[in-house]
Amino acid sequence: MGDVVQIYEDYKDHADFLTVYVREAHPTDEWQMKSNLKDDVCYAQPKTLQQRVIIANDFTKRFKFPCPSESTT
C-alpha cells in the first residue's frame, strides 16, 4: 500500500482518488497467508455489501490509510 499512499500524497491536490475493495485476497475460508495471522487481518470472504464495508473500514482505520473513503451500508 506504500506506493498507493505515496501517489495519493503526491497528487491529491490535482486529482480525485477512488479505492475499490472487491474481494478479500486471502480469506479465512479459502487460502490464508501466515502474515495475515501475524497482522491479525483474518476475515472470511465477504458475501454482502455490508460485510465489505465493515472490512474496508477496519482496514482504513487500522492502517491509517489516508485516502478519503465513502461508505455505503
Side-chain angles (χ1 to χ4, degrees):
M1 291 307 302
D3 292 339
V4 172
V5 171
Q6 187 60 56
I7 291 169
Y8 170 73
E9 293 296 335
D10 291 346
Y11 296 102
K12 66 183 176 185
D13 295 330
H14 306 286
D16 293 324
F17 285 79
L18 174 67
T19 303
V20 178
Y21 171 65
V22 178
R23 66 179 272 125
E24 193 61 25
H26 305 286
T28 57
D29 53 341
E30 293 177 21
W31 181 71
Q32 184 80 46
M33 290 182 58
K34 290 181 183 179
S35 61
N36 288 29
L37 297 171
K38 180 180 70 80
D39 295 336
D40 191 29
V41 287
C42 303
Y43 305 105
Q45 193 64 260
K47 297 185 182 1
T48 66
L49 176 60
Q50 183 178 18
Q51 291 170 338
R52 283 179 173 79
V53 169
I54 289 168
I55 294 170
N57 285 335
D58 181 57
F59 170 83
T60 59
K61 290 175 188 168
R62 184 185 303 225
F63 295 100
K64 297 174 178 63
F65 191 62
C67 297
S69 62
E70 181 175 316
S71 301
T72 307
T73 55

